[in-house]
Amino acid sequence: CSGSTNKPVLTLFTKKPCPLCDEAKEVLEPYKGRFVLQELDITLPENSAWYEKYKYDIPVFHLNGKFLMKHQVDTEKFEDQLRKVELQSD
């Protein structure tokens, strides 16, 4: 098993500046080998739908396209969901 083939994708809905997002990324640091972090800037014109949805809630996280958590990282929930996704892809 190569391991790196199907890493879960964690999408971070963010904007600049976002101190809470920076904080969230620090909390996620120990897990970074287990997922691919994709940052999506909600202030970009092509992301206006996300902006409308999340402008008061960032940081917001989606795991493999599904809503996971917002405002701050819930490490227990994150680990639990990450483990489930990893088991599915094995």
Side-chain angles (χ1 to χ4, degrees), residues 29-67:
E29 192 67 25
Y31 306 98
K32 76 173 183 202
R34 292 171 61 191
F35 65 88
V36 175
L37 182 66
Q38 183 181 43
E39 293 188 44
L40 191 142
D41 186 335
I42 63 169
T43 61
L44 297 176
E46 65 268 26
N47 297 329
S48 60
W50 291 117
Y51 178 79
E52 285 310 307
K53 191 168 182 169
Y54 292 144
K55 59 186 167 190
Y56 302 119
D57 287 322
I58 61 164
V60 174
F61 292 93
H62 284 197
L63 186 60
N64 281 356
K66 290 195 188 95
F67 175 82

Side-chain angles (χ1 to χ4, degrees), residues 8 34-35 79 81-90:
R34 292 171 61 191
F35 65 88
E79 255 190 87
Q81 294 302 314
L82 187 59
R83 205 173 301 116
K84 281 182 184 152
V85 172
E86 287 170 339
L87 290 172
Q88 283 167 4
S89 67
D90 276 349

Side-chain angles (χ1 to χ4, degrees), residues 6-30:
N6 274 341
K7 281 189 186 171
V9 175
L10 185 69
T11 307
L12 165 60
F13 293 85
T14 184
K15 65 182 185 194
K16 300 271 181 261
C18 176
L20 286 175
C21 301
D22 297 337
E23 216 171 277
K25 284 191 282 190
E26 276 177 37
V27 174
L28 292 168
E29 192 67 25

